[in-house]
Amino acid sequence: MFLTAKILAFATQPIAWALVLLGAGLGLLALRRPRKWGLRLAWAAFGVLLLMGWQLPVEAVLRRLENAYAAPDFKAPLPQYVGVVVLGGALERSELWARPGQVSLKGEAERMTVPVG
């Protein structure tokens, strides 16, 4: 069961697909038989890596989702709210470069600081 879980976790990652494509492409190039397919697979692996590293589509989807809901009025009475949901990505581990007890914020820090103001 453990081995199956690890194999499935690897198979669902995009980097795994890029590695498989690259390995198959380089394997075909090494055999020198269908050179055209080896190059295609190697370029496909490069394309998968390029798309994984391109943040524009991810940011566009996140901004559209965040803009779909109006920002709450924080000056309203608190009994109206049941709780606060904070999306991840605002905090960062900072044991190496921050003073003890100091919170380190990243680019999405407005998720943590806007409700306070």
Side-chain angles (χ1 to χ4, degrees):
M1 190 65 169
F2 176 76
L3 184 61
T4 305
K6 291 296 180 182
I7 290 172
L8 287 175
F10 177 75
T12 58
Q13 299 298 317
I15 192 75
W17 290 99
L19 288 174
V20 167
L21 286 171
L22 184 61
L26 292 176
L28 288 174
L29 285 174
L31 292 176
R32 296 183 186 195
R33 295 220 174 125
R35 184 171 169 81
K36 179 172 65 171
W37 281 102
L39 286 173
R40 285 182 182 172
L41 289 176
W43 278 108
F46 178 70
V48 168
L49 288 174
L50 186 67
L51 287 176
M52 284 183 355
W54 190 24
Q55 290 295 318
L56 186 62
V58 175
E59 290 292 326
V61 170
L62 284 176
R63 291 296 170 219
R64 183 173 178 194
L65 180 63
E66 288 177 350
N67 291 335
Y69 302 98
D73 180 20
F74 293 107
K75 298 192 182 353
L78 289 179
Q80 170 182 340
Y81 298 107
V82 177
V84 176
V85 175
V86 178
L87 300 176
L91 300 176
E92 180 177 321
R93 292 180 54 193
S94 60
E95 294 91 13
L96 297 177
W97 56 272
R99 292 190 306 248
Q102 182 181 5
V103 177
S104 111
L105 299 173
K106 294 187 343 185
E108 296 83 8
E110 71 272 0
R111 293 178 182 163
M112 299 295 285
T113 57
V114 168
V116 176

